Amino acid sequence: MGYFAKFAVPHPSPAIYASMIAIVVTVFLIIFGLTYFKKWIYLWSEWITTVDHKKIGTMYLIAALLMLFRGGVDALMMRAQTAVPDNKLLDSQHYNEVFSAHGVIMIIFMAMPYIMAFMNIVVPLQIGARDVAFPRLNAVSFWLFFMGAMLFNISFVIGGSPDAGWTSYFPLADNEFSPSVGTNYYMIAIQIAGIGTLMTGINFITTILRMRAPGMTLMRMPMFTWSAFVTSIIIIFAFPVLTIALLMGTMDRLFETKFFAMTDGGMDMLWANLFWVWGHPEVYILILPAFGIFSEIIPTFSRRNIYGYKSMVISMVVISLYSFFVWTHHFFTMGQTAYVNSIFSITTMVIAVPTGIKIFNWLLTMWKGRIRFTVPMLYSIAFIPLFTIGGVTGVMLAMSAADYQYHNTMFLVAHFHNVIIPGVAFAVLAGSTYYWPKIFGFMLNERIGKWAFWFLTIGFSLAFFPMYITGLDGQARRMYTYSEASGYGLLNFVSFIGAAFMAISFVLIVYTIYYSIRHSPRHVGGDPWDARSLEWATHNPVPEYNFAIIPQVDSREPFWDAKYKRYELFKGDYKKIHMPNNSGVPFIMSALFFVFGFALVFSMWILAVISLIGIFICMAHRSFEIDHGHYISVEEIKETEVKMGGNHK
Amino acid sequence: MKVDHSQPLEYSTEQNRLNILGFWVFLGAEIMLFGTLFTSYFTLVDRTGDGPTGAEIFEIFPVLMETFLLLTSSFVIGLGIHAMRLGKKKAMLTFFVITLLLGLGFLGFEIDEFMVYYHEGATLQTSAFTSMLFTTLGTHGAHVTLGFFWGLFIIIQVAKRGITPATANKSFIFSLYWHFLDVVWIFIFTFIYLEGMTRV
Amino acid sequence: MRELFPAKQVWGFVLSLALTAAALLVYFFNMSRATGMTIFIVTAFIQAFVQLVVFMHARETDDSKSIFATLYYAIFIALITVFGTLLCMIWGWKY
Ligand code: HEM
Ligand SMILES: [Cu+2]
C-alpha cells in the first residue's frame, strides 16, 4: 500500500470523494454506452483518427464547453464561499485549490480551445481551402491540448490540486511552500497543452500565407482570418517563453535546480517576469480572435461591410508587436525603479489606442446599418460598452503609481473579468450560435438563446461591477473569507447573485442545444444568416472536401457579390480532390505524452523513460511513413453535391 | 501529386513548399525559445551563490573544438544539399554521414565538458548560474541529439528510396534545422563562453 | 569533384571561421568591455546572417519575404525580451 500512498489526495473533503465517485461512474457509463451502442469503431475511425479541420474544431468546441462547466463550478464555489462573511463552506486550502484550478482551466483549457475551435472550423473555409497546411499536425495539436487538459483535471482526485494560483508565483510554488504534487501537474499539464498550441500557431500561419483561394490577397482576407493570422503570430513568439518558464519551474520542483529558489542565487521574480512575458501576449491571443468573431457578426447583422477595414488590420498588426512591450505592468510593485515603471506605464497606455480604434469601427459599422437583433448580434452589441469599461479600468491599472493601490485587489479581478467575459466569453458564445448551423446543420433556438444572453449579461454585471468597489475599499484578491466588520458582505453577496445568474445562463445554453437538437428544422440551406464571407458559400454542414470547386475571389466580400452582384464564384468543372488520410498516431503519441506527464508528476522515472521512448517511436514512424493521401472521385463529389441540395452546377 | 520541374526537387510540390515555409516559422519560434534561455541566462549569470563563476570553470580548448566541429558540420551539410541538387546521391549521403559524425564529436566534447564541471563542483543544483548554464547548453545539446537521430532516419530513407521530392524535402528541412543549431551555438559560444571568460 | 564544392559555400565557411577568430581576439587580447562586447555583437550577428543566406538559402524562394519577416520579427521580440528583462530585473532594480 505504501507505494500508492503518493496518489492519495493530501487535503481530502467529502466533495472530492463525491467527485471521485462521479468520475468513476461517468467513465464507466461512457465505456458501457460505447460498447452497448457499438460505437467504438465509429469513435475511433470518425473522430479519434480524424485529420479533418472541421471535426477537430468540433472536438475543440465540445472540450471547451466541458471545461467551461468545470471552471464554472469552481467559480460558483468561490462566490458561494465569499457570499457572506466568515463563511465555512471551503477552508483556506480548498479555496486556494479552487481558484488556482479555475484560472488555469478558464484561460488555458476553456478560452484557448474555444478560440482554436473557431480557427479550425472557420479559417480554411473563409480562405477557400480544403484543409489546413498540416492536417496531421493539427490532430497532434488537438490531442496534446486534450491530454494536457485531462492531466490537469485528474489532479484533484489523484495526488492533489495545484494551489499556488493560476500565475503560480515562486517562491510559493516551490517545493517548500507547495509540497504536494499539485504544482507539478500545473507545470507539466500546461506544458503539454502549450506545445500543441505552438503547433497550431505554425500551422495556421502557413495555411493563411499559402493556401488562400486564387484572388484572395492579404488585404482581401476576412477579418476573422486576419485575427487568426495575427493571433498565430503572437502564439509562435509567446508560447516558447512559457515553454522555457515551465521547464525551469518543473526542474526547480523535480531536480532542485535553483532558478527561482530563495537560496544560492535564485531569483523568484524571474518566474513572474517570464510568466508575464508570455502572459500579456496571451491575453491578446485570446482577445484578437474574439474581435475577429465580432467583426464577422456585426457586418452580417447590420447588412453593411465592415467600416475601416484597413485600420482594423493595421491596429491588429500593431497590437501583435506591441503586446510584447508591456508585460511589466503586471508587477509594478515588484521593486523596480519608478523610471522603469514609467516606461511600461506609457507603453501600456499606448496599447489601448489600437483597441479604441476598433471600438469606433464597430460602432460606425452599425451606424446607419439595418440591424437585426439575433442572439449573436445581441452579444456583440453588449460587448461594446462592457468591454470598453474593462479597457478603461485597464488604463487606470496601467498608471504604475495608482497601481500600487489597485494591485492584487478585487479591482484587478474586476478588470480582467470585465475584458475577458464580455470580450472572449461573449465572442465565443456569439460565435457558437452564429456558426452552429455551419458545424451541425441546424440553428440554435433564438428565444432560449436570448434568455441565456440576458441572464449572462445581467449576471456578469451583478457579479463583477461590485468588485471594483470592494477592491477600492481594499478587499484583496484570493482571500478565502473576510470579517463582518470589513463591510464587504453586501457587495460580495450581490456578486454571488450575479454568479448564480451566470450559472442559470449556462444551464439555458445547454438547454438551447438540447432543445434545438430535438426541435430545430434541418436543411437550413448554406446561408441562413444572409452572410457575406466565403465560409457560407458551401453547404451546411460542410462536406468533407469543403468546396466542390475552389472559389475565385476578386473582392473583400466575394460571397456577398456572388449573391447580389451576380459575381461567379465557382468557375470550371469538378475535378478529383486530393485529401489527407486519417491517422491514429497523433492520438497514440499524445496519450503517451499523458503517461509521460503523469510519470513526471510523481517522479516515476522508469515509466517516464518508457513513455518517452514510445513518443520517439511515434515520431520515427512518422518520419518513415509514406502517405500520399487519397482522392475523392468526380462521381462521389457529384453525388454528395446532389444529396446536399447542391447550390451550384 | 503535381510535380513542378522548374523548381529544385525539395520545392517541387505544393506540400513541399508548405513544409519548408512551416519549418521556417517553427525556426522563428525556436529563436524565441533560445531567446528566453538567453534572457534568463543574462539575468542569472552573476548569481553564483557559493558556486563557481563562468570564468572559473570555462576552458577555451574544448569550447573551440566544439565550435569548430559544429561550424564544419554546418558547412558539410550545406555541401550535402548542394550535391542533392545535383542529383548525386552518393556524394550527398557521404556529406550527410560526415555531418552526423561531426555532430557526434560535438556531443562527445560537450558531455566531457559537463563531466569536468561536475567534478569541479558545478552541478545542476549548485547555484542559479550553474542551473541556467546546464539548462541552456543542455537544451542545445538535446536539439543536436534529436537532430542526430532525425538525420540518421533521413540518411536511411535517401539510401533506400533515392532522391525523390519527398526525401529531398525532408533532407532540405533537416539541413535548415542543422544550420539553425549552428547559429544558436555561435551565440552560445560568444555570449556565454567568450563573454564569460573575458569578464573581470 | 570540384562541382561538389561551390565557391559560395566554401567562402561562407572561410568567412565564418574568420569571424570566429575575430571574436577570439577579445579573449586573447586585453580590451575594454565596451570594445569587447561590440566585437561580440558584430561578429555573432554577421555570422548568423551568413548562415541564413549562404547555407540556408533563405533568399531563394518566393516565400522569402515571409521568411525574413518571421526572422526579423523573432529577433526583434527576442531582443525586446532580453533587454526589457534586464531593465526590470538588473539595471532598474532598487534593492
Ligand atoms: C485596454 C487595454 C488594457 C490595459 C491598459 C490593461 C491593463 C492591465 C494592467 C495594468 C494589469 C495589471 C494590474 C495589476 O496586476 O495590478 C492588467 C491585468 C490583467 N489584464 Fe488587462 N489591460 C487591458 C486589456 C486586457 C484584455 C483585453 C485582457 C484579456 C482579454 C486583459 C486581461 C488581463 C488579465 C488576465 C490580467 C491579470 C491577471 C492576474 O493578475 O491574475 N486585459 N491589465
Ligand atoms: Cu497585461
Side-chain angles (χ1 to χ4, degrees):
Chain A
M1 263 336 264
Y3 180 77
F4 292 101
K6 64 179 169 214
F7 299 122
V9 180
H11 308 282
S13 77
I16 292 180
Y17 288 129
S19 318
M20 285 182 192
I21 296 171
I23 291 176
V24 172
V25 171
T26 319
V27 170
F28 179 77
L29 280 181
I30 292 175
I31 294 177
F32 177 78
L34 286 171
T35 314
Y36 185 80
F37 293 106
K38 299 197 176 63
K39 290 287 184 200
W40 283 105
I41 292 177
Y42 166 77
L43 187 70
W44 174 262
S45 57
E46 291 292 313
W47 294 95
I48 292 181
T49 58
T50 189
V51 293
D52 181 332
H53 69 99
K54 302 174 289 291
K55 285 189 175 162
I56 290 176
T58 311
M59 291 194 287
Y60 270 120
L61 183 81
I62 294 167
L65 281 171
L66 286 176
M67 289 295 111
L68 179 61
F69 174 72
R70 158 97 212 259
V73 171
D74 286 338
L76 271 183
M77 279 166 28
M78 285 188 283
R79 280 338 309 168
Q81 161 62 23
T82 49
V84 289
D86 297 316
N87 200 357
K88 298 263 169 354
L89 185 69
L90 298 172
D91 59 27
S92 61
Q93 173 62 28
H94 283 123
Y95 193 78
N96 291 351
E97 292 176 7
V98 170
F99 71 64
S100 306
H102 167 77
V104 174
I105 288 181
M106 284 303 200
I107 301 260
I108 312 260
F109 299 125
M110 188 286 283
M112 287 299 282
Y114 224 141
I115 297 294
M116 299 293 164
F118 290 115
M119 282 171 54
N120 267 287
I121 293 167
V122 179
V123 168
L125 293 172
Q126 276 198 337
I127 62 175
R130 295 246 152 84
D131 207 317
V132 292
F134 312 112
R136 185 77 79 85
L137 189 68
N138 203 19
V140 174
S141 289
F142 171 76
W143 287 111
L144 283 179
F145 145 74
F146 183 81
M147 294 299 168
M150 288 304 113
L151 188 61
F152 190 85
N153 271 282
I154 60 168
S155 66
F156 83 115
V157 289
I158 305 178
S161 282
D163 53 3
W166 85 280
T167 50
S168 213
Y169 275 10
F170 283 78
L172 176 60
D174 228 328
N175 284 334
E176 193 185 343
F177 300 107
S178 297
S180 90
V181 294
T183 306
N184 295 354
Y185 272 114
Y186 171 98
M187 298 285 164
I188 294 161
I190 299 181
Q191 184 74 286
I192 293 174
I195 296 170
T197 307
L198 180 63
M199 292 176 184
T200 303
I202 295 170
N203 213 338
F204 278 86
I205 292 183
T206 317
T207 306
I208 294 173
L209 280 177
R210 277 210 71 94
M211 295 176 68
R212 299 187 308 272
M216 183 178 283
T217 57
L218 282 178
M219 287 312 265
R220 281 182 189 158
M221 289 196 313
M223 267 344 270
F224 180 73
T225 299
W226 257 113
S227 72
F229 182 55
V230 173
T231 283
S232 303
I233 294 177
I234 306 180
I235 286 176
I236 63 159
F237 298 128
F239 269 76
V241 182
L242 182 69
T243 305
I244 293 299
L246 290 172
L247 175 73
M248 290 162 73
T250 310
M251 288 176 66
D252 262 12
R253 291 186 55 86
L254 296 184
F255 307 127
E256 303 285 329
T257 50
K258 297 296 184 310
F259 301 114
F260 310 129
M262 301 295 281
T263 54
D264 298 311
M267 197 180 204
D268 48 352
M269 282 311 293
L270 183 60
W271 163 268
N273 182 74
L274 294 180
F275 183 88
W276 289 114
V277 171
W278 161 79
H280 188 84
E282 165 66 15
V283 305
Y284 280 95
I285 290 169
L286 295 176
I287 200 70
L288 289 179
F291 287 172
I293 293 173
F294 289 129
S295 302
E296 296 297 330
I297 291 173
I298 291 176
T300 298
F301 296 109
S302 308
R303 286 184 73 89
R304 287 201 42 190
N305 56 348
I306 188 97
Y307 182 89
Y309 178 93
K310 256 197 200 136
S311 62
M312 287 298 235
V313 171
I314 292 170
S315 64
M316 276 199 288
V317 174
V318 169
I319 287 175
S320 79
L321 258 183
Y322 231 89
S323 61
F324 286 91
F325 300 172
V326 300
W327 74 93
T328 304
H329 68 218
H330 291 277
F331 44 86
F332 279 143
T333 56
M334 179 177 79
Q336 21 350 6
T337 53
Y339 164 63
V340 176
N341 274 352
S342 312
I343 295 175
F344 286 96
S345 272
I346 293 169
T347 55
T348 305
M349 286 187 241
V350 170
I351 205 170
V353 174
T355 316
I357 292 176
K358 301 180 85 72
I359 299 276
F360 283 107
N361 283 337
W362 289 311
L363 287 176
L364 290 168
T365 306
M366 290 196 282
W367 184 257
K368 289 195 179 154
R370 271 177 294 144
I371 297 178
R372 282 179 288 159
F373 292 95
T374 57
V375 171
M377 189 61 175
L378 285 177
Y379 280 114
S380 312
I381 293 175
F383 147 77
I384 294 177
L386 291 178
F387 181 84
T388 308
I389 298 172
V392 170
T393 56
V395 178
M396 290 170 71
L397 290 164
M399 293 177 247
S400 54
D403 187 59
Y404 270 71
Q405 182 68 28
Y406 310 134
H407 183 59
N408 271 359
T409 66
M410 293 308 273
F411 189 90
L412 163 73
V413 177
H415 154 69
F416 71 76
H417 285 89
N418 201 167
V419 277
I420 289 181
I421 293 177
V424 184
F426 278 24
V428 293
L429 292 174
S432 308
T433 320
Y434 185 60
Y435 284 117
W436 198 269
K438 196 83 260 163
I439 308 168
F440 297 106
F442 60 90
M443 313 274 277
L444 286 180
N445 182 284
E446 281 276 306
R447 194 169 42 86
I448 312 174
K450 282 180 186 163
W451 277 102
F453 162 78
W454 284 111
F455 268 100
L456 187 60
T457 307
I458 295 170
F460 160 77
S461 308
L462 284 178
F464 292 99
F465 287 136
M467 291 182 196
Y468 283 121
I469 302 168
T470 56
L472 288 178
D473 278 348
Q475 186 186 354
R477 74 189 290 198
R478 294 172 175 165
M479 242 171 28
Y480 85 108
T481 192
Y482 50 88
S483 68
E484 178 90 64
S486 64
Y488 303 144
L490 178 65
L491 288 174
N492 276 280
F493 191 75
V494 175
S495 284
F496 172 64
I497 306 270
F501 267 59
M502 292 168 78
I504 295 174
S505 153
F506 183 80
V507 173
L508 285 173
I509 288 168
V510 175
Y511 181 64
T512 338
I513 296 175
Y514 169 79
Y515 183 90
S516 313
I517 291 177
R518 307 219 29 191
H519 301 294
S520 275
R522 308 296 135 131
H523 306 298
V524 289
D527 180 27
W529 303 112
D530 194 9
R532 315 174 76 86
S533 42
L534 276 184
E535 72 268 33
W536 301 102
T538 181
H539 314 290
N540 289 334
V542 185
E544 185 195 353
Y545 46 77
N546 292 357
F547 297 95
I549 296 172
I550 294 292
Q552 308 252 334
V553 175
D554 82 341
S555 72
R556 274 185 196 148
E557 298 188 317
F559 180 54
W560 187 259
D561 296 348
K563 281 192 295 188
Y564 297 105
K565 297 184 188 159
R566 305 245 187 117
Y567 171 71
E568 198 187 340
L569 262 182
F570 301 101
K571 302 189 182 107
D573 290 317
Y574 295 145
K575 289 193 199 81
K576 64 178 182 174
I577 296 172
H578 180 249
M579 297 301 289
N581 285 338
N582 285 0
S583 166
V585 178
F587 175 77
I588 294 170
M589 189 171 97
S590 308
L592 286 167
F593 260 101
F594 178 91
V595 177
F596 178 60
F598 187 79
L600 284 188
V601 167
F602 289 97
S603 308
M604 299 187 284
W605 305 118
I606 299 174
L607 184 61
V609 171
I610 294 174
S611 46
L612 195 62
I613 291 174
I615 292 170
F616 287 137
I617 292 177
C618 289
M619 292 179 179
H621 171 269
R622 175 61 173 148
S623 173
F624 282 101
E625 184 183 16
I626 300 179
D627 174 16
H628 293 305
H630 63 275
Y631 283 95
I632 302 179
S633 68
V634 174
E635 290 74 56
E636 255 178 279
I637 302 170
K638 273 192 185 139
E639 207 175 293
T640 317
E641 290 294 304
V642 170
K643 205 168 74 208
M644 296 245 171
N647 53 4
H648 46 78
K649 296 269 153 34
Chain B
M1 208 60 54
K2 260 191 253 109
V3 181
D4 175 357
H5 293 286
S6 67
Q7 296 274 344
L9 266 187
E10 66 266 23
Y11 287 106
S12 58
T13 67
E14 182 55 29
Q15 190 62 46
N16 276 2
R17 298 161 140 251
L18 287 174
N19 292 349
I20 291 175
L21 180 61
F23 199 78
W24 274 105
V25 177
F26 170 71
L27 291 184
E30 288 271 80
I31 291 180
M32 211 39 207
L33 187 103
F34 283 101
T36 311
L37 285 170
F38 278 109
T39 303
S40 312
Y41 181 83
F42 295 147
T43 312
L44 297 177
V45 52
D46 288 327
R47 302 184 142 251
T48 49
D50 298 329
T53 64
E56 282 163 17
I57 53 172
F58 294 155
E59 279 173 47
I60 191 81
F61 174 70
V63 173
L64 274 183
M65 278 312 289
E66 287 162 33
T67 309
F68 183 71
L69 287 172
L70 218 54
L71 275 181
T72 313
S73 79
S74 180
F75 169 60
V76 174
I77 199 171
L79 298 179
I81 292 301
H82 182 74
M84 178 183 91
R85 287 186 174 176
L86 296 176
K88 294 194 186 306
K89 178 172 148 189
K90 230 165 133 202
M92 172 193 174
L93 285 178
T94 315
F95 284 131
F96 267 62
V97 169
I98 296 175
T99 304
L100 292 194
L101 289 178
L102 291 167
L104 223 48
F106 167 85
L107 284 175
F109 271 100
E110 184 154 66
I111 291 170
D112 186 60
E113 188 195 330
F114 281 12
M115 304 285 261
V116 171
Y117 293 164
Y118 184 81
H119 289 302
E120 287 173 354
T123 69
L124 194 57
Q125 288 86 9
T126 307
S127 68
F129 163 70
T130 58
S131 298
M132 199 61 231
L133 178 71
F134 281 112
T135 306
T136 312
L137 298 179
T139 308
H140 177 265
H143 274 76
V144 176
T145 314
L146 214 72
F148 175 79
F149 287 105
W150 185 11
L152 207 61
F153 296 162
I154 286 175
I155 290 177
I156 296 173
Q157 288 174 39
V158 174
K160 278 204 334 216
R161 297 175 194 163
I163 303 178
T164 66
T167 56
N169 188 242
K170 287 183 193 180
S171 311
F172 183 75
I173 290 176
F174 174 66
S175 82
L176 291 182
Y177 179 77
W178 199 263
H179 293 306
F180 176 76
L181 292 185
D182 188 39
V183 175
V184 173
W185 181 260
I186 291 164
F187 281 87
I188 290 180
F189 169 69
T190 320
F191 293 106
I192 292 184
Y193 288 113
L194 287 185
E195 203 272 346
M197 287 188 276
T198 53
R199 177 184 276 266
V200 265
Chain C
M1 219 30 200
R2 260 204 83 107
E3 59 171 357
L4 288 177
F5 294 89
K8 186 173 155 197
Q9 309 218 4
V10 175
W11 279 114
F13 183 48
V14 173
L15 186 58
S16 62
L17 288 180
L19 287 164
T20 311
L24 272 175
L25 289 179
V26 184
Y27 174 75
F28 287 113
F29 298 97
N30 237 339
M31 28 185 114
S32 75
R33 203 162 154 67
T35 330
M37 261 327 220
T38 318
I39 294 181
F40 285 157
I41 291 172
V42 170
T43 52
F45 276 90
I46 298 182
Q47 246 204 87
F49 196 75
V50 170
Q51 291 279 337
L52 278 179
V53 174
V54 178
F55 292 124
M56 297 170 84
H57 313 283
R59 283 217 185 120
E60 274 175 17
T61 78
D62 33 324
D63 288 327
S64 86
K65 257 197 211 142
S66 312
I67 291 173
F68 275 101
T70 315
L71 294 176
Y72 288 140
Y73 214 113
I75 292 166
F76 181 63
I77 295 177
L79 289 176
I80 291 280
T81 309
V82 170
F83 288 106
T85 301
L86 291 179
L87 184 65
C88 298
M89 314 297 291
I90 310 263
W91 301 327
W93 186 259
K94 265 197 303 221
Y95 301 106

